[in-house]
Amino acid sequence: MMEALTLPPLRGAAGTVRLPGSKSISNRMLLLAALAQGTTEIRDLLASDDTQVMLEALRRVGVGITALGGNAWRVEGSGGVFPVKDADLFMGNAGTAIRPLTAALALSGGSYRLSGVPRMHERPIGDLVDGLRQIGADLRYAGNTGFPPLSIHPATVNLSAPIRLRGDVSSQFLTALLMALPLTGQRAVIEMTTELISKPYIEITLNLMARFGVKVEREGWQRFTIAAGQSYCSPGILHVEGDASSASYFLAAGAIGGGPVRVEGIGRDSIQGDIRFADELEKLGATITWGDTWIEAAAPRGKLKAFDLDLNHIPDAAMTLAVAALFADGSCRLRNIASWRVKETDRIAAMATELRKLGATVEEGADFIAVSPAPTFVAGAAIDTYDDHRMAMCFSLAALGGVAVTINDPQCVNKTFPGYFEAFAEITAPVIAIDGPSASGKGTVAERVAAALGYHYLDSGSLYRLTALAALRAGVALGDEAGVAALAAGLPATFEGGRILLAGDDVTDAIRSEEISVGASKVAALPAVRSALLARQRAYRRFPGLVADGRDMGSVVFPDAVAKTFLTASAEIRAERRYKQLIAKGMPANMHALLQDLRERDARDAQRSVAPLQQCVDADRVDTTAMDIEAAVAAVMTVVRRQGL
Ligand code: DC
């Protein structure tokens, strides 16, 4: 049975996303490191299906590869000679793996067979094979002429004449030849016989080859020369930038859903052409801010501007604009995108079919798509994704039209971005923030509201309580800011069906003791502890939504929460509730001491310098002094329902 993910209607997007590594850079670096002299350590490598395909293929031809943990890998360079001379290689649907490997293997004096998934056998490779055959390489089609599967045989190559290569179907053929030719040690010249598409990808190739010590002379986009006697040499340690194509979904979400949405891991000096997506988004009316290691998109609520753009330079990120067109104030046209037809699926046809499901009028041509948005989105559309990761990621944006959208086969995002929907939820899933002082009834109310809505629940206070308990157990003083923050950052806590575990130990009741209540309030005043717990709290934001209770849910952790309430009650009634709770649990309690403690804690929570307890200007105040739980839940639900949830 096919899986499906239904996204709830979304009303905005804001927050920060750490990008996974770039696919284009990851697979190029892996191959160059394998071909080089010396050992390379590659950090922040993309962990996905397509990089797995490359890693596995390189292992099969005898390249030494070691996982160092945390997406760092060590690659023992083979100096251009793969140790294994005969192998069958399965390339899945990874174009960035099969094209460059075909060229490198064809020049490495072995016998190899390369195949992939059925769609891979429909994706062209003929221009590359023609280019390699011109210099004497021996490649044969094992299926249809012009397409994988292929077999490769040892051959002697002769580079005396320039290689004449087409560049109008895929730029990956040129990338493949450029990366492989230094293996010959001879002078090599490539002349393009057509216009070259997707030029920025060639810039990535040349940039990375240079980092491994091989220079290519380029005359326009016509002629490329590699001087004789160059070979790859490991630069030692390399970092992979965040993926600029993956960034496009979040930047678009910021432009459509208000923002600001920040992507971390790429910035103004990125070597990836797809960062230019941000410029195109700016033409649609978004506000883009560039940092060294981040890009941010925001936009006033309302429609994006209609557009008519040549997108040949950003073919992958351009898909995101086709879905952004649904939010434009008129008809939009995406031009010069013929390469979409030979990607993971026929992306022009797939895009047209699925956009129509949302109500748009779509016209498609050989190399363009025109999208006229409907005045309102069709609710409940089920989007097919054609085993194409970008279809799945693009169409998640449609839920920002305020309608539920079902994405069929959502796990196809694993090709380049296994955690995509979790990351998307962190900037878009609706959050209901319930803040207030200790014992105001927040916890019980929040849990019931979450159950009523079918949302997830975050008891943020428990994280501060767990931190205090962990510090006491580890003998770290509660005033030792760095020490406590380090514990908070790596808190071995798990939440299992109402029970809370710390390093496997059930501490559900232990963290509710008065000692820990006081300790939690102390560690919560330490700025380093608060920032150590920030990402952890935000990771609770998942579909279909989250109810979060604490002190700074609406002010700091989820400032874009759709509904914010400030739940409070008189100190006396709160002390009385706590007293009853403790007695019910058979724990010792003293009314006078409880009231005193509560007042001290209120003062500490309200007066600390970071994220003090306070009512946000946009929060509704609910005073529960004279309310029972049912009445308090009903009061919060009224605020929630007013937001249309
Ligand atoms: O909500 P609670 O009583 O379980 O919280 C325990 C302590 O943690 C409390 O003294 C304040 C602090 N806290 C905080 O500073 N920020 C939050 N978001 C939640 C709790």
Side-chain angles (χ1 to χ4, degrees):
M1 202 192 77
M2 187 170 59
E3 264 187 61
L5 171 68
T6 297
L7 303 174
L10 302 175
R11 46 230 345 269
T16 299
V17 172
R18 174 104 219 141
L19 294 168
S22 154
K23 172 182 72 160
S24 301
I25 296 176
S26 291
N27 271 352
R28 281 172 177 77
M29 275 189 187
L30 283 173
L31 181 59
L32 292 172
L35 297 176
Q37 206 67 252
T39 299
T40 307
E41 184 179 324
I42 305 177
R43 296 189 180 160
D44 304 320
L45 192 84
L46 170 64
S48 76
D49 289 353
D50 276 11
T51 47
Q52 210 47 52
V53 163
M54 181 63 108
L55 284 164
E56 185 52 32
L58 292 174
R59 279 202 176 111
R60 279 182 166 257
V61 297
V63 177
I65 293 181
T66 317
L68 302 175
N71 296 328
W73 294 80
R74 186 168 58 231
V75 181
E76 318 284 346
S78 62
V81 189
F82 293 123
V84 175
K85 291 287 163 215
D86 193 292
D88 289 301
L89 304 172
F90 180 72
M91 310 307 299
N93 197 7
T96 57
I98 194 171
R99 275 80 179 251
L101 262 176
T102 294
L105 293 169
L107 302 183
S108 72
S111 300
Y112 304 99
R113 288 150 306 277
L114 286 86
S115 63
V117 299
R119 173 61 185 171
M120 181 57 103
H121 297 172
E122 296 171 0
R123 296 178 67 184
I125 199 161
D127 296 340
L128 174 60
V129 170
D130 292 347
L132 288 162
R133 282 177 173 169
Q134 287 169 44
I135 57 174
D138 185 355
L139 300 96
R140 302 172 205 168
Y141 295 112
N144 292 332
T145 298
F147 302 89
L150 290 172
S151 70
I152 292 171
H153 308 272
T156 311
V157 297
N158 177 343
L159 286 150
S160 51
I163 300 172
R164 296 175 52 75
L165 184 71
R166 291 181 68 105
D168 58 347
V169 172
S170 167
S171 67
Q172 285 179 7
F173 304 144
L174 175 58
T175 282
L177 271 178
L178 286 168
M179 292 208 290
L181 286 169
L183 296 183
T184 66
Q186 304 174 39
R187 177 175 184 272
V189 179
I190 303 171
E191 282 176 4
M192 306 312 295
T193 58
T194 66
E195 169 77 3
L196 175 64
I197 61 165
S198 315
K199 297 181 183 74
Y201 284 101
I202 301 304
E203 303 218 50
I204 299 182
T205 304
L206 299 182
N207 184 306
L208 296 179
M209 286 172 68
R211 288 201 219 170
F212 280 85
V214 171
K215 268 195 61 184
V216 178
E217 287 157 47
R218 171 166 83 75
E219 289 156 56
W221 297 100
Q222 279 302 309
R223 198 179 146 91
F224 300 82
T225 304
I226 302 171
Q230 301 193 76
S231 62
Y232 293 121
C233 182
S234 168
I237 297 175
L238 287 173
H239 286 270
V240 178
E241 306 178 352
D243 193 291
S245 315
S246 299
S248 70
Y249 313 107
F250 306 112
L251 295 175
I256 295 164
V261 172
R262 179 178 287 204
V263 291
E264 289 180 346
I266 52 169
R268 59 167 75 85
D269 299 325
S270 163
I271 63 168
Q272 297 168 74
D274 269 1
I275 58 163
R276 299 272 73 90
F277 172 82
D279 304 342
E280 306 302 332
L281 209 51
E282 207 162 33
K283 294 176 192 161
L284 275 54
T287 307
I288 304 291
T289 315
W290 294 85
D292 287 339
T293 57
W294 53 267
I295 307 174
E296 199 171 271
R301 291 296 176 93
K303 300 250 175 206
L304 298 176
K305 286 186 224 157
F307 59 88
D308 179 348
L309 296 168
D310 180 330
L311 297 166
N312 192 269
H313 60 304
I314 53 166
D316 286 343
M319 287 178 77
T320 311
L321 291 175
V323 179
L326 295 172
F327 298 87
D329 60 7
S331 298
C332 304
R333 184 178 279 255
L334 295 81
R335 286 183 280 111
N336 205 359
I337 51 166
S339 69
W340 281 23
R341 297 246 181 229
V342 296
K343 299 280 176 138
E344 279 79 343
T345 184
D346 177 341
R347 286 176 165 171
I348 294 183
M351 194 51 90
T353 305
E354 303 309 312
L355 286 172
R356 286 180 189 127
K357 289 183 183 171
L358 290 155
T361 304
V362 185
E363 188 196 343
E364 62 167 290
D367 67 347
F368 77 89
I369 187 166
V371 183
S372 302
T376 54
F377 282 72
V378 172
I383 302 297
D384 289 318
T385 51
Y386 307 79
D387 206 15
D388 182 351
H389 55 136
R390 299 207 186 283
M391 286 294 288
M393 296 191 277
C394 281
F395 277 90
S396 64
L397 295 170
L400 287 165
V403 291
V405 175
T406 296
I407 306 288
N408 287 331
D409 214 1
Q411 70 280 7
C412 66
V413 300
N414 291 351
K415 189 168 199 285
T416 53
F417 199 157
Y420 174 73
F421 288 105
E422 289 77 9
F424 186 62
E426 278 198 43
I427 59 163
T428 59
V431 177
I432 293 159
I434 302 181
D435 286 306
S438 276
S440 56
K442 300 184 304 301
T444 315
V445 170
E447 240 175 324
R448 294 213 191 169
V449 170
L453 295 167
Y455 279 15
H456 301 276
Y457 166 54
L458 165 64
D459 166 12
S460 64
S462 70
L463 296 173
Y464 292 95
R465 290 174 179 273
L466 283 161
T467 301
L469 181 63
L472 289 177
R473 289 192 171 174
V476 173
L478 296 185
D480 173 0
E481 182 163 358
V484 180
L487 283 175
L491 210 57
T494 44
F495 296 78
E496 288 171 11
R499 309 307 293 172
I500 301 176
L501 308 182
L502 185 62
D505 189 9
D506 189 334
V507 296
T508 317
D509 294 325
I511 61 164
R512 302 289 158 197
S513 74
E514 277 307 291
E515 184 192 15
I516 294 299
S517 295
V518 173
S521 151
K522 286 185 178 159
V523 299
L526 306 172
V529 171
R530 303 199 74 84
S531 62
L533 291 175
L534 195 57
R536 186 169 192 140
Q537 295 174 82
R538 288 182 175 156
Y540 279 85
R541 188 172 180 182
R542 292 192 296 258
F543 294 126
L546 175 71
V547 179
D549 88 59
R551 303 293 183 285
D552 59 345
M553 298 297 99
S555 57
V556 176
V557 183
F558 304 110
D560 64 323
V562 285
K564 299 182 184 179
T565 54
F566 188 80
L567 211 68
T568 187
S570 72
E572 290 74 16
I573 195 84
R574 288 186 285 126
E576 192 184 309
R577 288 175 187 164
R578 185 71 100 200
Y579 178 82
K580 286 184 182 158
Q581 256 175 15
L582 292 172
I583 297 296
K585 283 188 191 151
M587 290 162 117
N590 171 307
M591 192 56 202
H592 180 73
L594 279 173
L595 183 58
Q596 177 110 358
D597 264 7
L598 208 66
R599 289 205 162 114
E600 278 171 22
R601 244 186 301 148
D602 281 357
R604 200 161 34 229
D605 291 349
Q607 284 159 20
R608 67 182 176 224
S609 60
V610 281
L613 170 68
Q614 60 185 25
Q615 183 181 342
C616 293
V617 285
D618 51 350
D620 278 277
R621 189 180 186 88
V622 175
D623 189 325
T624 68
T625 305
M627 289 182 188
D628 61 8
I629 289 291
E630 277 66 36
V633 171
V636 173
M637 285 304 287
T638 304
V639 177
V640 169
R641 296 294 183 210
R642 215 190 303 133
Q643 296 302 323
L645 294 171

